């Protein structure tokens, strides 16, 4: 019935981490777009936009048990690392939350990609 | 900072219901594709496929506080009602779970669309 | 074999208009994020972000012949009208192109939603 | 203004190939779901479903000039190769068309990933 066998709990943790990261990226981008210092938030908005999409796709492929899940997780881990590095530079609470969610997602995705 | 003001808890419940529905639809479609009686699951797979996408978009728009969220929730409620009706006809556990997730998502989306 | 019968050419035109609108919205948001006057482009980026996603989903549902295509097109038409109104206010070439793509997409979607 | 510089024509060709592949995968999955021999089309539907999503994301990231485009194209090329191999085994016209679109998309993505 399944296309690949892995520890179910590990998969579920990765799905949850990806979805939490989508929510954090969307909230961060939305908040950045209302910040007075939007000029400094350009990179943050860009990465939030791209990586919310990457995390969302990765979660969907994991939910399906897609054959291509490992490579998607590798892409997602790379994306989350970049987003965490960018968002982590800003002191806004939404940026800090986003950076934290990205780090957790990166860690979960690296386990799945291995 | 927000583009629309609504009860935050209601929004979060709707986001959670949408994401649970995405997961249930993806799991149901994947399981249907491995069922011996796949001939009877055609409609189920079709609706799972379409409405997982609709629920996923609705969740993303809600996360962002999009101006178009009410109409998206109306679309999502209609989609979930149709999916619940189809999946509810099948006795497979994944279909019953999907139907239940769709009904909850429909209810949450109707509140937001109102 | 098909779930709904409509003029194939009309459907293809609507798919093309949606995809052209996705591309124009993505290009506009990306360019806005690099504009010196980003402070004035906040609304533009917000709507580009939301409506690229709405147009992309609408195109996918049309490609599939989804049962829910009419309501999705109605949502998409509303979204495109709002995006055209916002982007049309800015003189940047990417905004004007985006407004034009949104107007064409709105028109095509209204025909399908009818 | 751009986050990466590459031959614009190459990028546009890759976007077009990805979108053509999305359309072919969606059409193929929809048609497979109505085939009398659906029992043999399970793998085809699965891959169409996953890789339409992968191609769609890749196109969006390319439209934006995303920093992560190269890795996304590598994932997309791998996905398209697998889908072409599966769909190419079936004589249905929609499968043959899908296999051809996948091969073109794979080729375009490999150039971008390099």
């Amino acid at each position: 019935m399944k296309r690949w066998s892995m520890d179910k709990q590990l998969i579920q943790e990765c799905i949850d981490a990806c979805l939490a990261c989508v929510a954090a990226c969307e909230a961060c981008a939305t908040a950045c777009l209302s910040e007075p210092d939007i000029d400094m938030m350009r990179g943050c908005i860009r990465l939030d936009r791209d990586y919310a999409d990457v995390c969302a796709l990765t979660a969907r492929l994991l939910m399906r048990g897609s054959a291509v899940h490992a490579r998607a997780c590798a892409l997602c881990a790379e994306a989350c690392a970049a987003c965490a590095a960018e968002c982590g530079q800003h002191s806004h609470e939404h940026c800090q939350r986003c950076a934290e969610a990205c780090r957790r997602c990166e860690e979960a995705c690296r386990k799945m990609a291995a």
Side-chain angles (χ1 to χ4, degrees), chain A residues 2-81:
Chain A
K2 260 177 284 163
R3 276 186 280 167
W4 40 280
S5 66
M6 282 198 67
D7 184 63
K8 274 202 171 188
Q9 196 183 334
L10 210 64
I11 297 169
Q12 190 56 51
E13 283 173 7
C14 194
I15 293 170
D16 292 343
C18 284
L19 293 179
C21 199
V22 173
C25 283
E26 294 288 17
C28 184
T30 299
C32 284
L33 282 165
S34 296
E35 289 292 349
D37 62 339
I38 188 171
D39 192 48
M40 297 185 60
M41 311 311 292
R42 297 169 192 262
C44 216
I45 298 168
R46 268 190 207 110
L47 297 193
D48 284 339
R49 180 165 72 122
D50 290 354
Y51 300 156
D53 285 349
V54 171
C55 289
L57 176 65
T58 303
R60 300 283 295 275
L61 294 175
L62 285 167
M63 287 172 185
R64 293 177 198 168
S66 167
V68 82
H69 80 278
R71 201 182 272 268
C73 284
L75 165 65
C76 196
E78 184 194 34
C80 285

